[in-house]
Amino acid sequence: MDAQDRTDPGRPPAPGAGSGRIPPSVPVVGPASAAPLPPGVPPRKPVRHVAESPAAAPAPRDPAKDTVPRGISAIDEAAAPVPPAKRPEMIIVTGMSGAGRSRAANALEDLDWYVVDNLPPQLLPALAGMMTTVGAGVHRLAAVVDVRSREFFASFMKYLGQLRDTGVDVRLIFLDASDAVLIRRFESSRRPHPLQGTGSILDGIEHERTLLAGLKGTADEVINTTDYSVHDLARRIRELVAHESDLGLRVTVMSFGFKYGLPMDADHVLDVRFIPNPYWVSELRHLTGRDAPVADYVFQQDGAAAFVDGYVNLLIPALPRYVDELKPSVTIAVGCTGGKHRSVATAERIGASLRAAGFKVAVQHRDLGRE
């Protein structure tokens, strides 16, 4: 067998080669002999095999300490540090019966606080232990504690001290009002005072003032509701406890089709059926108002863009006033015939404009896909 056959398995066998030749697929170890090559065939470069140095071999890895692939930065080193979670917050609402505790609790609930009414003081530390700052757990809790818990209320100061030692951010809000106003409120509701017993409403009020005298002095905030309406008290609670994100207005812009009926929760209804319908354009019929060709067609119609943009300019100064009137959300409904083309494009344009003006906006398309 000649050297050419050994070094180039793909070359056809030399004439006259014997049947005992080694198959081309089997590698041959050892240097090839310097056999002459056929005319026109360049000589092949020898293949050099270099043994790897022991120092180049990868070091053994400890799975318990090294779980990051080599050559990639550790994730913990590359990630930004996570700021520590804020402490859980708890508000205790107490004070005179008839001073507005229930209205204050409702205002806190509207601000997404978890509210527990008529809680025995003994349960305050346990309730605080259930709070968390992780995920969607309860991290802002309000408890209404008052003399309705009767003999349990006598130990309120003791358990309030235990609660402050748990690390929870605790604030005590005390509600008060004049005797005359409290009497009038009980008479209008036709309910007895919880401490009245066999006596008069005034007897119950005086007894309650005696029990709460020391507690009022330890309150973080005392609110006198004598001259407050129910809305005034809700505003005051929001001023005391609401974060900036709580006070912001939530705007929902919803497209709909008139043939499916008006949205029941709409605060504003905008009719855009005066705009020519893209449904009658064969190239646009299968598209929706989310597609650029449809939106371009809609707002290229005479007066369409000016009408929608003018409507947004009317909304911008009016929307913040809803928060002042204790209405934290507004729904703007935009309707066309089927809720697929014109109303969808208009709702998207209104939503984008209101976001640019600084509002928190969610755009929904109620009837998209119903046709």
Side-chain angles (χ1 to χ4, degrees):
M1 178 178 181
D2 58 18
Q4 179 65 27
D5 292 335
R6 292 198 304 270
T7 58
D8 194 352
R11 189 175 298 280
S19 59
R21 185 167 57 250
I22 300 174
S25 60
V26 179
V28 176
V29 180
S33 61
L37 296 173
V41 177
R44 302 185 61 188
K45 294 182 179 180
V47 179
R48 300 181 61 187
H49 299 276
V50 180
E52 293 185 357
S53 171
R61 295 173 58 185
D62 185 356
K65 297 181 180 179
D66 186 6
T67 59
V68 180
R70 298 210 174 264
I72 302 177
S73 301
I75 296 176
D76 291 341
E77 297 175 359
V82 178
K86 296 181 180 179
R87 293 191 304 171
E89 298 178 76
M90 175 179 278
I91 289 178
I92 300 176
V93 179
T94 188
M96 296 296 295
S97 300
R101 295 189 308 255
S102 297
R103 181 55 179 164
N106 292 338
L108 290 168
E109 197 168 42
D110 292 342
L111 293 171
D112 202 28
W113 285 66
Y114 186 89
V115 179
V116 182
D117 193 10
N118 196 17
L119 184 74
Q122 289 84 341
L123 298 180
L124 285 173
L127 195 62
M130 300 171 60
M131 300 173 66
T132 179
T133 58
V134 180
V138 175
H139 59 279
R140 295 194 299 179
L141 187 145
V144 179
V145 181
D146 51 65
V147 295
R148 289 176 296 171
S149 55
R150 301 187 182 278
E151 64 270 12
F152 297 121
F153 191 77
S155 56
F156 178 75
M157 296 300 296
K158 170 186 174 182
Y159 292 103
L160 179 61
Q162 293 182 8
L163 183 63
R164 294 187 186 278
D165 294 337
T166 61
V168 178
D169 185 6
V170 183
R171 284 178 288 175
L172 181 64
I173 298 178
F174 190 98
L175 303 181
D176 199 0
S178 66
D179 291 352
V181 169
L182 293 177
I183 292 173
R184 185 173 68 249
R185 290 174 182 174
F186 274 106
E187 288 179 343
S188 63
S189 64
R190 299 184 180 180
R191 298 191 64 189
H193 190 280
L195 299 182
Q196 178 177 341
T198 57
S200 64
I201 295 177
L202 183 58
D203 293 335
I205 293 174
E206 292 175 347
H207 186 195
E208 188 175 27
R209 287 200 184 280
T210 301
L211 292 176
L212 300 181
L215 182 60
K216 182 177 180 180
T218 64
D220 298 288
E221 187 71 29
V222 177
I223 303 176
N224 192 314
T225 65
T226 298
D227 299 321
Y228 277 25
S229 68
V230 291
H231 302 298
D232 293 334
L233 177 56
R235 292 189 186 96
R236 180 59 179 151
I237 293 295
R238 291 176 67 90
E239 292 172 358
L240 288 176
V241 306
H243 299 281
E244 183 178 353
S245 59
D246 298 324
L247 295 173
L249 181 71
R250 296 185 296 273
V251 180
T252 300
V253 184
M254 178 187 298
S255 69
F256 72 97
F258 276 97
K259 68 179 182 180
Y260 301 113
L262 287 168
M264 296 183 62
D265 56 346
D267 298 295
H268 298 257
V269 177
L270 185 65
D271 186 354
V272 294
R273 287 177 293 182
F274 70 92
I275 302 174
N277 195 345
Y279 178 85
W280 303 112
V281 180
S282 58
E283 293 84 1
L284 303 177
R285 180 174 301 178
H286 66 288
L287 301 176
T288 73
R290 286 177 167 175
D291 297 307
V294 174
D296 293 341
Y297 175 87
V298 168
F299 297 114
Q300 286 173 0
Q301 305 302 315
D302 291 340
F307 173 78
V308 174
D309 294 341
Y311 179 73
V312 171
N313 291 333
L314 289 174
L315 287 175
I316 288 175
L319 290 177
R321 304 284 77 79
Y322 282 95
V323 177
D324 298 339
E325 294 302 316
L326 305 177
K327 183 173 173 54
S329 61
V330 173
T331 299
I332 301 168
V334 184
C336 64
T337 303
K340 179 179 179 180
H341 295 106
R342 294 166 291 179
S343 62
V344 172
T346 303
E348 293 286 346
R349 187 181 182 104
I350 292 175
S353 299
L354 291 178
R355 288 192 193 98
F359 294 95
K360 294 183 292 185
V361 182
V363 178
Q364 301 176 1
H365 304 295
R366 191 194 71 176
D367 299 325
L368 195 59
R370 294 184 64 174
E371 72 283 350

